[in-house]
Amino acid sequence: MAPPAVLMVGTGEYTTGFVSGAASTSDKKVGVVGLTLFDLRRRGKVSDLSMAGVSGQKFPAIRQHLQKNISEAYNGLDVSFQSFPSDDKSNPQSYKTAIDALPQGSAVTIFTPDSTHYEIAKYAIERRIHVMLTKPATKLLSHHLDLLALARKHKVFVYIEHHKRFDPAYADAKFRSRNLGDFNYFYSYMSQPKSQLETFKAWAGKESDISYYLNSHHVDICEWMVRDAGWRPASVRASASVGIAESVGCAKGTEDTITLLVDWVRSTDDKRATGIYTASWTAPMNAGVHSQQHFHYIASKGEVNVNQAKRGYDVVDENDHSGSSLKWYNPFYMRYAPDEEGNFAGQGGYGYVSFEKFVDGVTAVNEGRVSLEELDKRGLPTLRNTVLTTAILEAGRRSLDEGGRSIEIVGEGDKIELK
């Protein structure tokens, strides 16, 4: 069977590294999705590639950007793709035309604003196209559960791009935590500098918030670490700071930093644990890292501390005039340095691995070598395995909207509800 064709929905920073008419100023200057899929095509794991956005007028500049920064940087790597809509058109619904053009067994990656995930994924699933969604899967728990039911009905693989599960330190921490006794406390912090608000200004504070965008990483990691021991979230309260994002032009009320306080319970012995998850997109500029990311896990017989912002690798570059010449880079996520032959060599980065796991799953399902149930049992970030993450994130949003009220999470499996 031929490798799957893949459609990339969304043409922004994460897909192409191209933002507001130029290369991104973040750590994703050549993107992640496009580069990874171009290399997977070189390796024979995917076939035809296409891309869908809202404005076709952007595609000529995107192609120039990819040619210069990817093809010329990696030994002539093929960066060709079919685009929707055409270069002279603008169409917010172009993803439908692009999905309709895909052959059976194809896949779609959805890296668009959070509020659009549900409709795009639903359209793809109903046409029996496999789906990768950037996190969060959806903003609403009801939408997540609806997509889960549709995926079962149409027998397609739907995978959430929780790449931190494939970070070697985080994966090893999960493994070691199994022998540390009962879950007791989890604290996490993740941030990005306020310059990112320029990238997200079209939707920041209007269609989604920083908790959905960044807390989704560690909420998922914590739930993934403790679920097999029988722990479930029982209630969520949220608090937020406001003022900085507004001062740089975001909508009134846009939260700067959001903290979720989650009560975890285990029904078998009535034990309780506490989870605190903080995310900010107004961190100071010129801090030397693009994203602070760390967590502290405490159990009855031990603890785990992971700080993935500074990994023992720093560079001083006087040519960098952004404000700080001292940088802590993260080649463990996406390694952009070419190999000895000039080819892209980042296949071991956990950002790349996350995509390859999805593509391999799609191929295995298409060839009848694995069932969707088996993929769930492997612990991959599938729709079924991320229901509680969405429940916590929506509960946090509801708590903020309702003055800090505690929101309960009740039920089991696909019968989860918020109260």
Side-chain angles (χ1 to χ4, degrees), residues 98-290:
I99 290 171
D100 291 343
L102 292 171
Q104 188 174 2
S106 298
V108 58
T109 64
I110 301 172
F111 285 75
T112 58
D114 300 346
S115 60
T116 66
H117 292 182
Y118 172 67
E119 290 297 337
I120 300 172
K122 181 179 180 182
Y123 191 88
I125 292 168
E126 289 175 339
R127 283 146 188 84
R128 299 188 175 180
I129 301 298
H130 304 288
V131 175
M132 171 191 271
L133 277 162
T134 186
K135 43 72 197 154
T138 60
K139 290 181 63 181
L140 302 181
L141 175 61
S142 60
H143 284 171
H144 190 126
L145 295 175
D146 186 40
L147 292 182
L148 178 57
L150 286 170
R152 286 178 183 152
K153 176 182 176 181
H154 295 290
K155 297 180 172 55
V156 295
F157 183 34
V158 183
Y159 174 104
I160 317 306
E161 205 271 312
H162 282 293
H163 53 257
K164 291 302 292 182
R165 291 195 186 197
F166 306 106
D167 182 319
Y170 279 44
D172 198 61
K174 171 183 163 52
F175 173 75
R176 295 182 187 279
S177 70
R178 299 184 307 172
N179 298 318
L180 297 181
D182 293 331
F183 174 36
N184 188 263
Y185 174 82
F186 186 101
Y187 166 73
S188 65
Y189 176 72
M190 196 163 188
S191 71
Q192 291 189 352
K194 63 176 71 75
S195 59
Q196 281 293 87
L197 289 170
E198 180 65 25
T199 299
F200 305 139
K201 64 183 178 182
W203 56 266
K206 304 171 190 173
E207 299 176 30
S208 195
D209 61 41
I210 190 55
S211 185
Y212 279 116
Y213 179 62
L214 286 186
N215 267 334
S216 51
H217 291 84
H218 286 107
V219 167
D220 175 72
I221 290 297
C222 181
E223 197 274 331
W224 179 54
M225 288 176 69
V226 305
R227 63 160 53 200
D228 291 342
W231 294 91
R232 296 291 181 268
S235 63
V236 181
R237 283 156 285 172
S239 179
S241 57
V242 177
I244 299 174
E246 290 181 352
S247 71
V248 296
C250 288
K252 185 174 178 58
T254 299
E255 295 94 356
D256 303 328
T257 303
I258 295 176
T259 296
L260 307 180
L261 173 63
V262 180
D263 292 321
W264 293 82
V265 299
R266 187 164 63 184
S267 60
T268 54
D269 55 13
D270 293 325
K271 289 189 175 180
R272 301 178 68 85
T274 300
I276 300 174
Y277 316 90
T278 297
S280 176
W281 49 14
T282 57
M285 300 287 291
N286 310 323
V289 295
H290 180 71

Side-chain angles (χ1 to χ4, degrees), residues 1 23 30 37 50 57 96 106 125 129 137 146 191-192 201 205 213 222 230 308 310 312 352 380 382 384 392 404 410:
M1 181 176 289
V30 293
L37 288 172
S50 52
Q57 290 94 332
K96 294 182 178 180
S106 298
I125 292 168
I129 301 298
D146 186 40
S191 71
Q192 291 189 352
K201 64 183 178 182
Y213 179 62
C222 181
Q308 292 297 71
K310 299 175 182 178
Y352 188 106
L380 292 169
T382 63
R384 173 182 282 280
I392 291 170
V410 298

